[in-house]
Amino acid sequence: MTSRNHRGHNRMASSARENESLASEEGPCPTVSDSEENKILLEEKAMGVRNAFPKDLNDKAFARFLRAFQSVDQAFNAILRYLKWRKEFGVDLITVEDTDIKNELRSGKAVLLEEKDNSGRPILLVTAKLHHSKDRNLQTLMKFIVYLLETAGSQCDDEICDNFCIVFDMKDFSMNSMDYQFVKNLIWLLSNYYPERLGIWLIVNPPVLFSGCWVIIRSWLDENTAKKVIFISKPEQLAEYIRLEALPRNLFL
């Protein structure tokens, strides 16, 4: 292995250690921004558009918007943008019967697992090698991701854990699978329309060449989201977050 490869591995390993430490320090305690007082103020402010609320825009959702956007006014404006986007994108019309959704599910590139992670989060498993950036239709792919995020959200038990776990299986990853626009759009969706829904993002077995990709991706993440990204290189590491038997295959063979 060249010294450059060593540096790439060291960068990701260092990031993994740092993020594991940061993640372990996170707790469920509410911040000042999602206090009961602010939640009540936000609910009162949103009364005029309540008829447009999806089922999951509840007390927990208000708290997530408040944590993400830091003030009642900013959270309310974000909710208005969210409602407008849902209507324009046709979120409520996207179902498993949609031909695009069926085709994407058949590809196996992303799937919502039946079992949850060790913290009770729904698990979204993305298999990088099955994605080919030159062959994809971005609009179709984003519709599929919205379908998965909506489904994952519906499987969250708000009383236990109201966020989900995303796992990127990087085995046999090549630059043919690297899709910067897709990753950037995913981050944008999570930040703007599914705030605080990402509980943890596990990147399993990233190859050395991914270290350069990560430098770019990391620049798109705010500090709070970056803390949730964990690089995994060993089965025992992954087992801290997910029961290995819950996975459809061994990610380390």
Side-chain angles (χ1 to χ4, degrees), residues 6-22 214 229-231:
H6 274 300
R7 287 196 298 271
H9 269 311
N10 289 341
R11 260 201 311 272
M12 289 193 290
S14 174
S15 181
R17 289 192 296 270
E18 177 185 351
N19 287 349
E20 282 184 347
S21 175
L22 289 168
W214 172 244
V229 180
I230 308 293
F231 289 93

Side-chain angles (χ1 to χ4, degrees), residues 143-159:
K143 182 164 71 169
F144 178 51
I145 293 303
V146 167
Y147 165 77
L148 290 173
L149 294 178
E150 287 286 308
T151 306
S154 71
Q155 293 186 10
C156 288
D157 184 340
D158 284 349
E159 299 306 314

Side-chain angles (χ1 to χ4, degrees), residues 165-194:
C165 167
I166 296 179
V167 179
F168 271 29
D169 176 10
M170 303 297 288
K171 182 182 177 183
D172 298 328
F173 168 84
S174 72
M175 291 308 295
N176 290 329
S177 300
M178 188 62 241
D179 193 336
Y180 287 111
Q181 191 58 57
F182 159 67
V183 175
K184 196 169 189 177
N185 284 16
L186 173 61
I187 293 169
W188 188 83
L189 276 174
L190 290 169
S191 300
N192 290 278
Y193 300 142
Y194 298 90

Side-chain angles (χ1 to χ4, degrees), residues 216-233:
I216 295 172
I217 294 169
R218 175 63 181 83
S219 70
W220 300 333
L221 302 176
D222 60 43
E223 288 305 314
N224 184 51
T225 303
K227 291 177 185 178
K228 300 175 182 180
V229 180
I230 308 293
F231 289 93
I232 303 289
S233 59

Side-chain angles (χ1 to χ4, degrees), residues 17-65:
R17 289 192 296 270
E18 177 185 351
N19 287 349
E20 282 184 347
S21 175
L22 289 168
S24 67
E25 293 172 3
E26 289 184 338
C29 298
T31 62
V32 174
S33 61
D34 70 346
S35 65
E36 284 302 316
E37 179 182 0
N38 278 350
K39 280 191 284 187
I40 291 171
L41 289 172
L42 181 57
E43 287 176 8
E44 291 175 349
K45 200 172 182 68
M47 283 297 292
V49 291
R50 184 169 288 277
N51 62 336
F53 285 5
K55 292 179 181 179
D56 65 346
L57 194 55
N58 52 24
D59 181 68
K60 295 285 187 180
F62 283 137
R64 289 194 298 272
F65 272 90

Side-chain angles (χ1 to χ4, degrees), residues 126-138:
V126 177
T127 305
K129 70 178 181 180
L130 296 180
H131 179 68
H132 305 286
S133 57
K134 292 183 179 179
D135 299 333
R136 59 95 169 118
N137 177 293
L138 187 59

